[in-house]
Amino acid sequence: MRVLGINALFHDPAAALVVDGSIVAAAEEERFSRRKHGKRPVPFSAWELPERSARWCLDEAGLAPSELDAVAYSYDPALARPAAELGLDDPWDHLRQEYARRAPEFLAEALPGLDPAKVRFVAHHVAHAASAGQASPYPDCAVLVLDGRGECGSHLAGRYANRELTVLRTQALPDSLGLFYEDLTDHLGFLRSSDEFKVMALASYGSPRFLDDLRAYVRPDGPGGFLARPVPWSTLVPARAPGAPWSQGHADAAASAQACLEEVLLELVRWLHDRTGEEVLTLAGGVALNCVANSRLHREGPFRRIWVQPAAGDAGTALGAALHVAHAKDTVAAMPTAALGRGWRDEELRAWLERAAVPYEEPGDIAETVAEELARDGVVAWFQGRSEYGPRALGHRSLLAHPGHPRNLERLNAVKGREEFRPVAPMVTAERAAALFDGPLPSPYMLFVHEVAAGWRERIPAVVHVDGTARIQTVDRAEEPLTARMIDGFERRTGLPVVVNTSLNTAGRPMVDDPRDALEVFGSAPVDLLALGPFAVRRTGVFA
């Protein structure tokens, strides 16, 4: 069965293709359009479809739209109710619903040859759930979905048995942990439905002194449920204008919201464990991208193992919807990797460099060349293999640096144009991780934070956050031999088994996806070396 999954209605439009139960391709539209998150989450943009990513998925498999057995759309307008009935202030939501109802027509126009009758609506939170429970390596597991909103709810708790979902609890709107965190994001001067991770980072600089106040609005409420109503943030801390300096009060508000969120999540997972008895918890929905909360669930929660969908936000519902529909006829396979996007053959990469007329080298081993540059304290743009699905750079579209120099955090944030309080991440081989970091291992998708061992904090200061933690990525050398070899080469030269890894992009722009994007970043930012597949482009060679 050939199923194309589509996420389009709210934000992070994406497409994914599942053929005979196996994931063939998945990509976010922002990587093609170069618009961060693809579009803003407003009703007037709901008609926009991930046309480019959908066409690429089909091209990757050599399929025409007419050859699809189904298109799975990750929202079911039949389940929706008017926003006013849901307690939401969204006067144009009816426009969003109309666009959803007409999605089959829009898709048939965007993908000529597609029969609109093949479009199947999948409930938003069921699509999120499938992106975790059906994509994970665990056919039997508990699943928890939390985000801003779906058709009429913000939460789903359930159980997968042999990849088959049983829904145990949902939470009706307007109660929403996602909207609670989004509201604070906006109050703190960041971009709603985009910059929630900045609030999480800022929380480490504050103390949860407003926690008691927040519990009046956000708290567990009944078996497996919660209350999450709008918080009058202005009574606690003044709003911050975008771009203005942040105050201690802003950091304390972030810390309080983070602590409040974690309290509710712990109660939800304890209830879910009691109901299911499962050892494994899978997570999806935008809230599941909160790696600090995920780590607390691992430390204090009852589940033995937690698996988080790397594209846990709405982009992941394209994959989840496709898996949910495919499961009706095929045995679906686990997600093999997050590297499900575009890739180029070496000959194609060479052609890009020749077309750009930049001098380049073809060293015997690009991993050793990069390790040498990093050991000299150079900044390296690392472009290798297929691009990642989801918001994290996982060693395919990354900026790399030396972790032993404290100034490299400030240096990379300056390169990327980011806020000074934002941390960067360490990349470490899986077999070395336990000696340096305490937390859930392996951690290949950068979705947990780990305590940095005391003996290592002074040795790798660039990747240690203000609270002594790091959001690590572990590298399995069997799956990522080139990256592992680069880290090994760096350790031989420096004694440090860690390199800095942050996403290859600049502020406000999506992660680099194709070679043109990589060359543009290299040309516009102070990057010392671009490793484009097996080729090396040096700044001194281009700008001498």
Side-chain angles (χ1 to χ4, degrees):
M1 190 175 187
R2 293 157 293 195
V3 184
L4 179 69
I6 295 289
N7 172 64
L9 199 66
F10 292 112
H11 52 85
D12 295 297
L17 184 65
V18 174
V19 177
D20 298 332
S22 296
I23 303 167
V24 173
E28 297 168 68
E29 189 73 3
E30 68 163 25
R31 310 294 168 84
F32 297 78
S33 69
R34 310 311 299 159
R35 294 167 58 197
K36 188 73 170 174
H37 296 291
K39 61 182 180 180
R40 293 301 300 143
V42 295
F44 302 99
S45 71
W47 64 272
E48 296 184 43
L49 295 169
E51 297 183 29
R52 288 176 242 192
S53 51
R55 291 192 194 110
W56 172 77
C57 285
L58 293 175
D59 289 344
E60 183 71 6
L63 292 176
S66 60
E67 296 176 288
L68 290 168
D69 296 299
V71 175
Y73 185 85
S74 63
Y75 186 90
D76 187 349
L79 302 177
R81 290 159 41 203
E85 289 184 20
L86 299 173
L88 300 176
D89 181 16
D90 195 352
W92 289 99
D93 190 56
H94 66 277
L95 187 60
R96 180 184 285 120
Q97 305 308 325
E98 177 62 20
Y99 286 144
R101 284 188 289 270
R102 298 185 61 182
E105 305 164 45
F106 292 145
L107 284 162
E109 183 175 346
L111 301 172
L114 174 68
D115 180 355
K118 291 182 178 179
V119 177
R120 303 184 191 178
F121 294 116
V122 177
H124 188 69
H125 289 121
V126 170
H128 266 310
S131 78
Q134 291 189 337
S136 81
Y138 310 103
D140 300 327
C141 60
V143 63
L144 183 66
V145 173
L146 289 152
D147 66 358
R149 63 167 293 194
E151 293 86 357
C152 56
S154 67
H155 154 260
L156 178 152
R159 179 183 189 179
Y160 275 95
N162 196 26
R163 307 267 186 217
E164 191 71 38
L165 175 65
T166 299
V167 177
L168 301 174
R169 185 69 158 84
T170 60
Q171 181 64 56
L173 292 166
D175 297 298
S176 169
L177 294 174
L179 293 180
F180 158 66
Y181 217 87
E182 284 184 22
D183 286 346
L184 178 59
T185 300
D186 182 65
H187 188 75
L188 293 182
F190 302 121
L191 187 61
R192 177 191 294 272
S193 294
S194 173
D195 292 348
E196 284 70 27
F197 61 94
K198 297 181 183 181
V199 176
M200 182 184 69
L202 185 60
S204 297
Y205 291 82
S207 62
R209 62 186 174 99
F210 301 122
L211 181 55
D212 285 341
D213 300 281
L214 296 185
R215 288 175 179 142
Y217 303 94
V218 181
R219 61 180 182 272
D221 185 39
F226 57 87
L227 180 79
R229 297 299 168 91
V231 176
W233 288 108
S234 293
T235 65
L236 303 177
V237 62
R240 170 183 169 271
W246 57 273
S247 69
Q248 190 59 51
H250 295 134
D252 291 346
S256 302
Q258 181 67 31
C260 187
L261 174 71
E262 293 170 12
E263 283 187 351
V264 177
L265 290 179
L266 274 168
E267 288 303 308
L268 294 180
V269 300
R270 287 167 180 155
W271 175 87
L272 184 56
H273 185 264
D274 287 344
R275 283 293 305 271
T276 66
E278 295 288 351
E279 293 187 339
V280 176
L281 172 66
T282 59
L283 296 174
V287 175
L289 291 171
N290 191 305
C291 55
V292 176
N294 294 345
S295 297
R296 187 169 178 190
L297 296 183
H298 177 267
R299 289 194 312 273
E300 301 178 30
F303 288 94
R304 185 171 61 87
R305 182 174 289 116
I306 298 176
W307 190 90
V308 186
Q309 164 57 238
D314 272 10
T317 65
L319 176 60
L323 290 171
H324 179 77
V325 170
H327 177 68
K329 291 195 175 181
D330 293 321
T331 300
V332 298
M335 183 174 178
T337 174
L340 297 168
R342 288 189 287 179
W344 281 264
R345 298 188 308 275
D346 292 351
E347 297 78 8
E348 293 173 312
L349 295 175
R350 188 193 299 274
W352 275 96
L353 293 170
E354 297 285 355
R355 192 178 307 123
V358 296
Y360 66 90
E361 308 164 16
E362 188 175 358
D365 187 350
I366 190 67
E368 288 294 328
T369 297
V370 167
E372 181 66 31
E373 183 64 37
L374 293 173
R376 288 199 298 261
D377 201 25
V379 173
V380 175
W382 178 255
F383 184 106
Q384 304 294 334
R386 294 178 68 172
S387 60
E388 301 92 338
Y389 184 46
R392 309 285 192 238
L394 302 171
H396 292 250
R397 304 289 186 271
S398 294
L399 272 174
L400 307 177
H402 195 307
H405 304 302
R407 71 181 185 91
N408 276 345
L409 171 60
E410 180 180 350
R411 183 182 177 194
L412 286 172
N413 281 338
V415 168
K416 290 164 64 72
R418 306 193 319 171
E419 295 84 358
E420 78 284 354
F421 60 81
R422 300 264 301 278
V424 291
M427 181 189 286
V428 60
T429 56
E431 68 269 20
R432 298 298 304 276
L436 285 74
F437 306 104
D438 181 23
L441 295 172
S443 186
Y445 299 138
M446 214 182 287
L447 287 164
F448 298 90
V449 295
H450 295 64
E451 291 287 334
V452 182
W456 283 94
R457 292 183 184 182
E458 292 184 358
R459 297 187 66 187
I460 52 173
V463 296
V464 182
H465 198 30
V466 67
D467 58 2
T469 67
R471 188 184 68 194
I472 78 169
Q473 181 203 348
T474 56
V475 175
D476 184 326
R477 65 177 62 251
E479 297 175 1
E480 300 285 352
L482 179 68
T483 303
R485 200 162 66 247
M486 177 268 294
I487 297 172
D488 292 343
F490 181 74
E491 183 178 12
R492 285 198 309 274
R493 291 167 170 85
T494 65
L496 302 177
V498 169
V499 299
V500 176
N501 171 30
T502 188
S503 56
L504 181 52
N505 66 320
T506 53
R509 300 296 306 279
M511 207 184 310
V512 158
D513 196 74
D514 73 11
R516 182 190 300 275
D517 305 332
L519 287 163
E520 286 178 353
V521 169
F522 178 74
S524 63
V527 174
D528 298 293
L529 185 146
L530 167 62
L532 192 75
F535 307 109
V537 183
R538 298 185 184 275
R539 190 162 203 83
T540 52
V542 175
F543 299 103

